[in-house]
């Protein structure tokens, strides 16, 4: 059996695709896996903001098309980039075990580690902090309205080079991306909730297959992780009910434990772009759910957020 994996050509996307290839080879003896590199509009245009491209599907549409038109059999996505509305003809076949979904504060290579109780306290008034994410920008400004938040794009390595060259005083990046690319030592401090809620699906991979390709879908389905699947089901259900895109100022944190006695919880937050307003909702102590009840929990959180005025910001 041969499985072709469609992926973006960025270093992180290639790491993720090769990781999935390794999982498939380990799970299915004799399977041959090859990568099909795809260029997306988000990769080709590094000058404009992601919102200028429409906000959703910037890094996923072309990869999905490669599967739909038969050039590939599986699309590997950073799940936080994948729109919650399903692409016709594709099915989300698996969500493998999730990496750390939190964000990290990164200081210049010669900077002082953020080792205090409040990691943002190491930043001086007016410090210039780089992030291209409206979600991160809003949460930073909610805690520290004195900061100057600056947009930045490019691969992780390129961003770190800009930080070390003195363009910024600090940067916020995903812990998962730093770890996967060998930059774990650059994490100055982990930004835990409630200081910073991650993006919906952050740290997770989404593996899409053609809906009519039962053989590949079954093979890929063996890579699914139960806890990760429940977590992202709840988070993505919340996002879908909010009607928000993946670049909206929305954060989520679902915890499903690893057994029935540990229960289930989902926290959702929505902020105004400038961080001046913040709305939060929590569903907890839910019995260990199946996918249907996890999705219902996401809708419940979203309904509460909307009733508190979140629609103004999403």
């Amino acid at each position: 059996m041969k499985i072709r994996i469609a992926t973006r050509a960025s270093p992180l996307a290639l790491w993720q695709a090769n990781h999935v290839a390794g999982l498939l080879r380990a799970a299915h003896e004799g399977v041959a896996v090859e990568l099909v590199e795809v260029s997306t509009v988000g990769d080709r245009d590094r000058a404009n903001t992601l919102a200028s491209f429409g906000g959703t599907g910037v890094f996923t549409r072309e990869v999905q098309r490669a599967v739909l038109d038969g050039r590939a059999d599986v699309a590997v996505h950073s799940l936080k980039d994948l729109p919650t509305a399903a692409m016709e003809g594709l099915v989300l076949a698996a969500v493998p075990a999730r990496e750390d979904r939190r964000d990290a504060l990164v200081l210049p290579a010669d900077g002082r580690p953020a080792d205090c109780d409040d990691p943002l306290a190491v930043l001086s008034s007016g410090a210039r902090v780089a992030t291209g994410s409206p979600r991160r920008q809003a949460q930073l400004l909610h805690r520290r309205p004195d900061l100057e938040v600056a947009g930045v794009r490019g691969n992780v390595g390129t961003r770190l080079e800009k930080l070390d060259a003195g363009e910024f005083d600090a940067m916020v990046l995903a812990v998962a991306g730093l770890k996967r690319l060998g930059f774990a030592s650059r994490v100055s401090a982990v930004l835990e909730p409630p200081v910073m809620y991650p993006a919906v699906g952050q740290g997770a991979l989404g593996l899409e297959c053609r809906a009519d390709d039962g053989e590949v879908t079954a093979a890929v389905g063996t890579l699914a992780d139960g806890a990760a699947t429940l977590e992202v089901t709840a988070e993505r259900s919340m996002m879908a009910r909010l009607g928000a895109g993946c670049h909206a100022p929305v954060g989520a944190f679902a915890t499903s434990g690893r057994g029935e006695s540990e229960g289930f919880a989902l926290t959702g937050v929505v902020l105004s772009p400038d961080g001046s307003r913040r709305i939060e909702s929590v569903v907890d102590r839910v019995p260990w759910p199946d996918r249907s009840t996890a999705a219902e929990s996401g809708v419940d959180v979203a309904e509460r957020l909307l009733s508190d005025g979140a629609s103004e910001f999403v």
Side-chain angles (χ1 to χ4, degrees):
M1 182 181 186
K2 181 178 180 179
I3 298 178
R4 298 162 298 166
I5 295 177
T7 175
R8 296 166 55 202
S10 72
L12 182 56
L14 289 172
W15 185 98
Q16 293 170 168
N18 278 298
H19 174 67
V20 171
L23 293 177
L24 285 169
R25 293 185 184 106
H28 304 285
E29 185 178 355
V31 70
V33 185
E34 71 175 42
L35 303 190
V36 178
E37 296 184 12
V38 178
S39 174
T40 71
V41 63
D43 295 312
R44 293 190 296 271
D45 187 339
R46 298 291 178 82
N48 294 304
T49 64
L50 296 179
S52 68
F53 302 125
T56 60
V58 174
F59 294 117
T60 59
R61 284 190 293 265
E62 285 94 337
V63 177
Q64 291 173 314
R65 290 192 190 109
V67 177
L68 287 170
D69 67 20
R71 284 176 287 154
D73 308 298
V74 182
V76 175
H77 309 287
S78 291
L79 196 57
K80 67 180 181 63
D81 295 330
L82 186 66
T84 54
M87 174 74 78
E88 184 177 356
L90 296 179
V91 61
L92 184 60
V95 177
R98 196 174 194 177
E99 181 54 271
D100 192 326
R101 92 276 304 263
R102 299 170 297 176
D103 288 305
L105 181 70
V106 182
L107 299 176
D110 58 355
R112 179 166 61 88
D115 56 1
C116 56
D117 291 338
D118 179 4
L120 298 183
V122 303
L123 301 175
S124 61
S125 180
R128 194 162 191 253
V129 184
T131 172
S133 161
R135 170 189 59 85
R136 291 171 178 152
Q137 292 173 2
Q139 292 187 91
L140 284 170
L141 292 172
H142 178 74
R143 293 276 172 171
R144 290 284 306 274
D146 61 292
L147 296 175
E148 178 189 348
V149 180
V152 64
R153 292 193 55 201
N155 296 326
V156 173
T158 301
R159 296 187 191 198
L160 291 174
E161 289 174 2
K162 292 180 179 181
L163 174 65
D164 294 340
E167 293 187 31
F168 311 104
D169 298 303
M171 186 169 284
V172 179
L173 294 167
V175 171
L178 290 166
K179 291 175 68 174
R180 286 167 172 162
L181 291 175
F183 293 118
S185 63
R186 294 303 306 267
V187 176
S188 301
V190 175
L191 299 175
E192 301 271 3
V195 173
M196 181 77 69
Y197 277 89
V200 166
Q202 187 161 313
L205 302 179
L207 313 185
E208 284 189 307
C209 302
R210 284 187 301 279
D212 60 1
D213 192 341
E215 183 180 16
V216 171
T217 298
V220 171
T222 62
L223 306 185
D225 178 83
T229 299
L230 291 175
E231 290 167 3
V232 302
T233 295
E235 293 173 8
R236 287 170 61 80
S237 176
M238 181 196 81
M239 181 73 95
R241 178 62 189 90
L242 287 173
C246 55
H247 302 295
V250 175
F253 200 94
T255 53
S256 58
R258 296 287 161 173
E260 294 184 8
S261 64
E262 297 184 52
F264 181 84
L266 171 66
T267 301
V269 294
V270 178
L271 298 94
S272 60
D274 65 359
S276 62
R277 289 184 58 190
R278 181 181 182 277
I279 304 169
E280 177 179 323
S281 178
V282 183
V283 168
D284 59 10
R285 296 183 299 279
V286 178
W288 180 259
D290 56 20
R291 291 187 68 174
S292 176
T293 52
E296 290 170 4
S297 297
V299 171
D300 190 8
V301 169
E303 293 285 3
R304 297 182 189 186
L305 291 167
L306 290 169
S307 69
D308 289 336
S311 58
E312 183 179 349
F313 309 125
V314 297

